[in-house]
Amino acid sequence: PMSTNDYNTLSAAGVGFVHLPFVLGAISVFHSIPNVPDGVGGLNLTSCLLARIFWRNITVWDHPDILAINPNLSSQLPNSSFPITVAHRRLGSSSTASFTAYMNSGCPEFWPAERVKKELSWPADTVECEGSGGMTKCIRDTPGTIGYIDSGHGHSEGLVEIELQNKDGNYLSSKEASARGGIGAAAGGIPSSADADFGNVNLLNQPGADTWPIVTLSYVYVRKDLSFISQAPEQSLLLTFLRALYEPTYIDQCVELFGFTAAPEGASSVGLSGISLLQVNTSAPVWAFESNTVAHIGQGEYVISEKRRTYTELEATGNTGDIATLTTDNENLRILVGELRTQMASVQSHTSAGIVYTEKDADQLRAALVLSALSFTFLAVIVGGGVCFWICSK
């Protein structure tokens, strides 16, 4: 969320705005230790063990403190003193900020507050990875690697997740927490009004038997006064978009495709109430969605319909007549060029028969032939481009 300092600065300047929380994400920790599965019989870790591992105080997987909560791990490892490779995000990353804040929250004695950053100077023997895709590759490429990434991405890539200990002392995976409502449970402490200060909102290490310990919340910030948008229909279109963030039809795509969690009832109520605080021109029209055919109304000016054609398709259809006309003109030019070539051949024949044509006559015929050829080429390009546009838009 916006920091309290920024909130106070904007408020002092008379700029009112709202926080609209709409989707939650879980950060998970994954590994590539051979023979160690996820789920039951998999690897369990606490925030303190993670802090010691990521700062390289623990460098092997059969360290006594790891084995103390994973008694079967030593028999699963390829060999004794199997090394731990630590992977972290390169440059600034919100997942790094959340992960380091989680370790500080759960184990400040091993992860002090000065290490809570988006971009951190990690120990030299760690591996930096670019983006979520790079982190996936880092974990996969070297057996025994541990790294953090948003849970949806890690699960979609088939990575093996570590079960973390939550605030209540229970070990669970983000999948288990999600199935039991433990992702949304972390968002229970947000303000009751969208125009309040969200600077102290914290979704890390929240209590609850099934609560996941590393949860992030995404917001949209919107000014209350929408008069900076000059067109009234655009103001109400923005409202329509914002309300769609709380409609299962649309927001569930983020859940299904990317593994996010829709805002729970409490957070969504704050968001929807926040939208009602936005000041819109009284002349702004009301927009609507059409998914099934609504006779006449579906053709309305302020209806967003999946049944309507795209602009590209509409333009392609409109060009059909122009393409037909150009095709006819193209054929006429072919005939004209053929006639000009015949005339040139006739000039050569009559000259050899003693009929004299001046150089001026020949130049005129040549110029006419060149101009016709150029016209033919130009129109051919237009026709070809139009046909290509029509085909590519299908």
Side-chain angles (χ1 to χ4, degrees):
M2 190 170 291
S3 69
T4 296
N5 184 58
D6 288 343
Y7 175 85
N8 290 336
T9 299
L10 289 172
S11 297
V15 179
F17 68 97
V18 295
H19 279 80
L20 305 179
F22 69 99
V23 72
L24 297 94
I27 304 297
S28 295
V29 186
F30 296 90
H31 73 84
S32 58
I33 307 172
N35 308 317
V36 179
D38 55 7
V40 178
L43 183 64
N44 297 328
L45 289 178
T46 65
S47 56
C48 283
L49 284 173
L50 285 171
R52 295 167 65 190
I53 289 170
F54 274 83
W55 206 247
R56 306 301 283 151
N57 302 128
I58 295 177
T59 58
V60 293
W61 283 114
D62 53 357
H63 187 282
D65 291 346
I66 296 178
L67 295 180
I69 59 172
N70 295 278
N72 297 323
L73 181 60
S74 59
S75 63
Q76 296 171 313
L77 295 174
N79 51 263
S80 61
S81 299
F82 191 64
I84 300 174
T85 299
V86 168
H88 61 82
R89 288 287 296 272
R90 180 175 178 268
L91 303 178
S93 164
S94 60
S95 59
T96 298
S98 297
F99 182 60
T100 56
Y102 154 72
M103 290 190 289
N104 170 255
S105 173
C107 196
E109 62 269 31
F110 286 108
W111 201 273
E114 57 265 26
R115 293 182 194 161
V116 178
K117 298 179 180 179
K118 286 185 176 181
E119 188 172 358
L120 184 66
S121 295
W122 295 87
D125 59 346
T126 58
V127 179
E128 62 178 20
C129 314
E130 181 67 49
S132 297
M135 178 62 79
T136 300
K137 187 174 187 301
C138 285
I139 295 172
R140 279 180 174 162
D141 284 357
T142 304
T145 297
I146 184 173
Y148 55 90
I149 195 174
D150 63 276
S151 62
H153 188 98
H155 293 148
S156 69
E157 294 289 345
L159 298 179
V160 179
E161 186 178 5
I162 296 172
E163 300 216 346
L164 302 183
Q165 186 184 51
N166 67 8
K167 182 77 170 179
D168 282 23
N170 299 321
Y171 291 97
L172 73 169
S173 68
S174 63
K175 277 186 177 180
E176 293 168 339
S178 178
R180 302 169 191 166
I183 307 297
I190 67 172
S192 58
S193 178
D195 60 354
D197 177 14
F198 278 63
N200 291 322
V201 171
N202 177 23
L203 278 67
L204 303 174
N205 268 334
Q206 294 302 303
D210 300 314
T211 303
W212 183 246
I214 320 176
V215 178
T216 61
L217 181 57
S218 295
Y219 305 85
V220 177
Y221 309 143
V222 189
R223 290 186 184 182
K224 285 185 180 179
D225 184 0
L226 297 185
S227 62
F228 67 92
I229 302 175
S230 59
Q231 301 297 318
E234 294 179 7
Q235 294 181 16
S236 55
L237 179 60
L238 174 59
L239 261 64
T240 302
F241 164 74
L242 295 174
R243 291 191 184 103
L245 296 177
Y246 300 94
E247 287 290 335
T249 301
Y250 307 107
I251 201 63
D252 280 358
Q253 296 179 52
C254 294
V255 177
E256 296 165 3
L257 297 177
F258 305 108
F260 291 109
T261 299
E265 184 176 351
S268 62
S269 296
V270 171
L272 289 169
S273 297
I275 295 173
S276 67
L277 297 176
L278 303 180
Q279 300 158 16
V280 181
N281 192 307
T282 55
S283 67
V286 176
W287 291 77
F289 291 96
E290 181 193 43
S291 55
N292 297 315
T293 302
V294 181
H296 306 299
I297 295 176
Q299 302 177 55
E301 189 173 2
Y302 301 109
V303 177
I304 302 171
S305 175
E306 64 184 36
K307 300 179 70 63
R308 292 190 178 187
R309 294 183 295 172
T310 64
Y311 282 112
T312 302
E313 184 182 1
L314 180 63
E315 290 177 3
T317 303
N319 288 334
T320 302
D322 294 335
I323 293 173
T325 300
L326 289 172
T327 302
T328 301
D329 292 344
N330 181 35
E331 183 59 30
N332 291 337
L333 278 172
R334 287 180 184 274
I335 295 172
L336 177 59
V337 170
E339 291 175 350
L340 287 171
R341 284 175 176 164
T342 301
Q343 291 181 30
M344 288 294 291
S346 176
V347 167
Q348 294 175 350
S349 174
H350 288 331
T351 300
S352 63
I355 300 174
V356 179
Y357 280 79
T358 65
E359 186 64 27
K360 180 179 179 180
D361 294 330
D363 288 342
Q364 288 177 340
L365 282 172
R366 291 191 189 96
L369 181 59
V370 170
L371 288 174
S372 297
L374 288 173
S375 299
F376 169 78
T377 302
F378 176 69
L379 286 174
V381 169
I382 294 176
V383 172
V387 171
C388 179
F389 174 82
W390 182 75
I391 292 174
C392 292
S393 66
K394 292 299 184 182

